[in-house]
Amino acid sequence: MEPVKIGLLGLGTVGGGTVTVLTGNAEEIARRAGREIRIAHAAAREYDPSRIQGLERIDTISDDAFAVVDDPEIDIVIELIGGYSPARELVLKAIANGKHVVTANKALIALHGNEIFAAAQAKGVTVAFEAAVAGGVPIIKALREGLAANHVEWIAGIINGTGNFILTEMRDKGRAFAEVLAEAQQLGYAEADPSFDVEGTDAAHKLTILGSLAFGIPLQFDKTFTEGISRIEPQDVAYAAELGYRIKHLGIARRAAAGIELRVHPTLIPHRRLIANVDGVMNAVLVKCDAVGPTLYYGAGAGALPTASAVVADVVDITRALTTDPTNRVPHLAFQPDELSDTPVLPMDAIETAYYLRLLALDRPGVMAGIAGILGEEGISIEAIKQKEPGAGDTHVPLIMLTHRIKEGDMNRAIARIEALEAVQGAVVRIRMESLEG
Ligand code: HSE
């Protein structure tokens, strides 16, 4: 089957990430989508080729975005230019030309989404925008599909990574606002116009979209109340902490008796709430529904690869719709049935993890050395050791050890040898340990 042909507009941070993901994961993406996906034509005024992996696999690169949307070869246009214009004109032209569109442009959708969706509906094409809200977090799919049974009561989201990073640094390190903002800009998280981050415009774009998806109302950016974080002072952050709260910049959409609340503003929330502990540039969206109750979606809300992850997922969705059996559009096991692989599931002996070990050992010189010796011989490295005080009259003391990662089979051998020692009483308690670092 012919590959699906992509026209890519923009080779900046997200555009570059999209090239990297589409080309780097091409084989696995094709196994999921049911068809090869090829970037046939890309357009960018300026880009840095040294920062984009996979660029050589694009068929044509030019500086004319309108030539891409007019290219008859193209099936799906990915708009990653950002801003209102010419993004709006390009997207409308692509739709008029019968092409499907994927965009990460939250400003465009929040302000011109009603017009764009009407045009797409009339033309029978899809406009997908998962990357527009919370970057790589699939919150749009969750709201539109996973939560479709529910009456959504409210949504509260940390949906601007730059603002969250600034508030986190102010709280943890007492740093000044301007200094942290400069760092966020350097890291590439901030919007081209940083006032969009600190005055809440970016979060309001995203909340406008979430509000429409949750409550079935047209996009109404102009009715979304917007207050930024620029007037939050370090002393407010400290006083809130003393009272057991954290200040987070939240987008809140709530169904009230008289109508829908759409508001973005700094908010005190109890520090023990999970969402209060979402720090740095991370995003999180808490959705409260009537049937399922609260559900929380967390992840990277900005950055090249996370945002590309959402862009490419939309491309896969559209490719499946264009390609596969319509009644089984999404394969039951995520990959196309004839693309399942025979990669083996590992036996437990072969898995690798770290361990917490607890045992009772005779309180006598040389015992600890004997145990550590066995671990060493089996190639197991000890991260920490603790010997508890013996109880009155006890001959044996509890020994607690944490180890680095090692194969379960090696650990089984070590445990069997330790349990066979005369100085060790009873079985060794083993609890597996995972750091789950992000
Ligand atoms: N400036 C945005 C943020 C980028 O900081 O979250 C992603 O929309």
Side-chain angles (χ1 to χ4, degrees):
M1 199 183 290
E2 274 278 290
V4 164
K5 303 222 179 65
I6 303 294
L8 177 60
L9 309 180
L11 287 170
T13 304
V14 181
T18 299
V19 175
T20 303
V21 172
L22 267 177
T23 57
N25 292 351
E27 203 188 313
E28 187 147 327
I29 289 170
R31 285 177 58 217
R32 290 176 184 273
R35 194 158 158 195
E36 186 193 336
I37 297 172
R38 201 160 90 213
I39 308 174
H41 197 163
R45 289 248 175 85
E46 284 172 14
Y47 61 98
D48 179 355
S50 67
R51 293 182 56 184
I52 305 176
Q53 283 168 32
L55 210 57
E56 70 288 349
R57 290 173 63 183
I58 300 177
D59 297 342
T60 308
I61 302 181
S62 73
D63 61 359
D64 185 355
F66 281 94
V68 173
V69 299
D70 285 334
D71 184 337
E73 284 276 285
I74 298 302
D75 303 299
I76 304 172
V77 169
I78 306 181
E79 184 278 305
L80 301 174
I81 295 175
Y84 305 115
S85 185
R88 174 177 162 272
E89 293 76 16
L90 285 162
V91 165
L92 289 172
K93 192 76 198 297
I95 293 169
N97 287 339
K99 299 181 193 311
H100 303 281
V101 174
V102 173
T103 180
N105 191 333
K106 56 258 166 156
L108 179 73
I109 297 297
L111 267 82
H112 301 297
N114 298 324
E115 176 193 18
I116 289 169
F117 298 146
Q121 187 92 27
K123 195 74 190 173
V125 295
T126 302
V127 174
F129 51 96
E130 181 64 69
V133 182
V137 182
I139 182 62
I140 290 179
K141 188 159 278 250
L143 274 173
R144 281 207 300 217
E145 299 178 36
L147 299 173
N150 289 267
H151 184 80
V152 178
E153 293 169 7
W154 53 262
I155 294 178
I158 294 173
I159 45 181
N160 180 267
T162 302
N164 200 41
F165 178 60
I166 293 171
L167 288 176
T168 304
E169 290 290 298
M170 284 171 78
R171 185 196 72 217
D172 288 353
K173 302 184 189 152
R175 292 175 68 190
F177 187 96
E179 180 197 320
V180 188
L181 172 61
E183 192 183 334
Q185 286 169 314
Q186 259 175 10
L187 290 170
Y189 297 121
E191 294 299 300
D193 175 351
S195 77
F196 272 37
D197 292 306
V198 298
E199 299 305 343
T201 313
D202 177 73
H205 287 146
K206 296 165 179 166
L207 185 75
T208 301
I209 298 171
L210 292 179
S212 288
L213 298 177
F215 304 123
I217 54 172
L219 295 151
Q220 294 163 76
F221 173 71
D222 55 339
K223 304 226 176 82
T224 302
F225 172 83
T226 308
E227 184 182 302
I229 56 170
S230 58
R231 274 169 294 161
I232 298 289
E233 293 187 29
Q235 56 184 327
D236 299 317
V237 176
Y239 292 148
E242 280 173 28
L243 294 163
Y245 291 87
R246 293 207 168 144
I247 301 178
K248 289 290 178 191
H249 193 222
L250 291 188
I252 297 174
R254 185 192 301 271
R255 195 195 295 261
I260 306 290
E261 300 174 9
L262 289 179
R263 49 194 172 95
V264 167
H265 50 72
T267 314
L268 263 73
I269 41 181
H271 73 97
R272 291 176 64 180
R273 295 270 179 280
L274 265 180
I275 196 167
N277 293 283
V278 171
D279 286 335
V281 292
M282 300 309 274
N283 280 200
V285 182
L286 179 56
V287 185
K288 174 68 170 59
C289 293
D290 63 343
V292 70
T295 53
L296 180 66
Y297 307 84
Y298 166 87
L305 298 184
T307 311
S309 160
V311 168
V312 174
D314 278 345
V315 172
V316 169
D317 267 358
I318 295 171
T319 304
R320 282 172 173 161
L322 293 177
T323 309
T324 51
D325 166 10
T327 49
N328 286 301
R329 193 180 59 78
V330 181
H332 292 101
L333 290 178
F335 291 80
Q336 299 299 327
D338 54 351
E339 290 288 352
L340 296 180
S341 94
D342 55 5
T343 311
V345 175
L346 293 175
M348 196 60 189
D349 264 11
I351 67 105
E352 224 179 62
T353 181
Y355 294 84
Y356 158 102
L357 303 177
R358 177 171 59 78
L359 54 107
L360 267 181
L362 207 53
D363 193 11
R364 195 177 65 194
V367 169
M368 178 82 91
I371 293 167
I374 292 176
L375 291 173
E377 282 160 26
E378 297 295 347
I380 299 167
S381 155
I382 299 171
E383 185 188 313
I385 260 186
K386 213 172 177 64
Q387 179 177 326
K388 307 299 280 184
E389 287 301 313
D394 284 349
T395 49
H396 289 73
V397 285
L399 272 183
I400 318 296
M401 279 176 281
L402 304 183
T403 76
H404 290 291
R405 293 172 70 81
I406 184 76
K407 284 220 169 69
E408 177 100 354
D410 298 334
M411 181 53 85
N412 288 343
R413 266 197 313 280
I415 287 177
R417 286 179 63 191
I418 291 169
E419 284 176 344
L421 291 174
E422 213 179 297
V424 170
Q425 192 179 73
V428 174
V429 172
R430 160 222 330 241
I431 305 177
R432 296 171 192 90
M433 202 165 85
E434 296 289 346
S435 68
L436 306 182
E437 270 162 37

